[in-house]
Amino acid sequence: GEATPGCVFVDHLASGELMDTVIHTAGGGGPNNNAFGSYAAGDFDGDGSQDDLVYFRIGESLRLTLDAFGTVSREHPESFFREASDYWHAMCQLYLGRYQEAQLEFKAFLDKFLGGIYYADSIYRLAIAQYGAKNFEAAAESLRQFIERFPENGMKPEALGMLGDIHGSWSELDEA
């Protein structure tokens, strides 16, 4: 089968699905037909798991995916897929720990796609990027904005927890 784009690998990991599921569904079939080739059965750091290989392959996939999403934006700016492509490009930056780039891309996305399908999530992800870049005041403001504008969003409990952590780190326990 075809390999799943890199960002989807990370979504599987972030959603708590089993690592084995990620390995075997990545290429569309069993242990001899997956995106990781014959190495998927190996344990390369001796810890009894395959996570080292999985994360290595995710990194490779994310970089390729980042390039592909960037191509859509650069070469097909009027494409039906532009909104999703720009969102996933920013998400890949976030997944790769490129917090400064992710902040810039999420801000640009929010300006360009006001009210779009990824709008609420982009405010929350912007806050994560700001937090990762140690821009805690901006992260707190983005989290407050997300909570106020999207009180029914399923990510609200995580946003509240993160906002509480920020206030706690500032010794503002009444706000946490």
Side-chain angles (χ1 to χ4, degrees):
E2 290 184 30
T4 306
C7 287
V8 177
F9 289 146
V10 178
D11 276 352
H12 283 287
L13 293 175
S15 70
E17 291 185 29
L18 297 173
M19 189 72 68
D20 189 58
T21 302
V22 175
I23 291 170
H24 294 296
T25 60
N32 296 318
N33 181 21
N34 61 59
F36 308 112
S38 61
Y39 297 107
D43 171 18
F44 295 97
D45 63 2
D47 69 353
S49 74
Q50 299 171 357
D51 61 341
D52 51 339
L53 175 65
V54 171
Y55 286 110
F56 176 77
R57 294 296 188 203
I58 289 169
E60 285 183 339
S61 296
L62 284 174
R63 283 183 276 286
L64 293 172
T65 302
L66 192 64
D67 290 343
F69 288 136
T71 300
V72 171
S73 296
R74 282 188 313 277
E75 295 181 16
H76 308 282
E78 301 303 318
S79 170
F80 170 80
F81 300 104
R82 174 70 189 268
E83 180 181 358
S85 183
D86 285 5
Y87 169 81
W88 284 109
H89 194 274
M91 286 293 288
C92 286
Q93 296 284 25
L94 185 60
Y95 288 143
L96 288 167
R98 298 176 181 171
Y99 301 118
Q100 296 295 342
E101 293 90 340
Q103 285 181 86
L104 294 173
E105 290 188 29
F106 280 119
K107 285 178 184 178
F109 180 89
L110 290 166
D111 288 342
K112 183 168 180 71
F113 299 105
L114 180 64
I117 190 169
Y118 299 103
Y119 192 79
D121 190 69
S122 292
I123 295 172
Y124 176 73
R125 303 300 177 174
L126 171 61
I128 293 172
Q130 292 165 325
Y131 187 93
K134 300 184 183 342
N135 189 354
F136 302 116
E137 289 180 20
E141 181 55 36
S142 293
L143 289 166
R144 281 191 288 275
Q145 180 185 13
F146 173 78
I147 293 164
E148 287 175 17
R149 293 182 71 182
F150 305 100
E152 303 301 318
N153 189 290
M155 298 299 290
K156 181 181 176 183
E158 289 186 40
L160 287 168
M162 192 172 177
L163 184 58
D165 288 345
I166 292 171
H167 282 290
S169 73
W170 293 336
S171 298
E172 296 174 353
L173 299 180
D174 291 339
E175 296 293 320

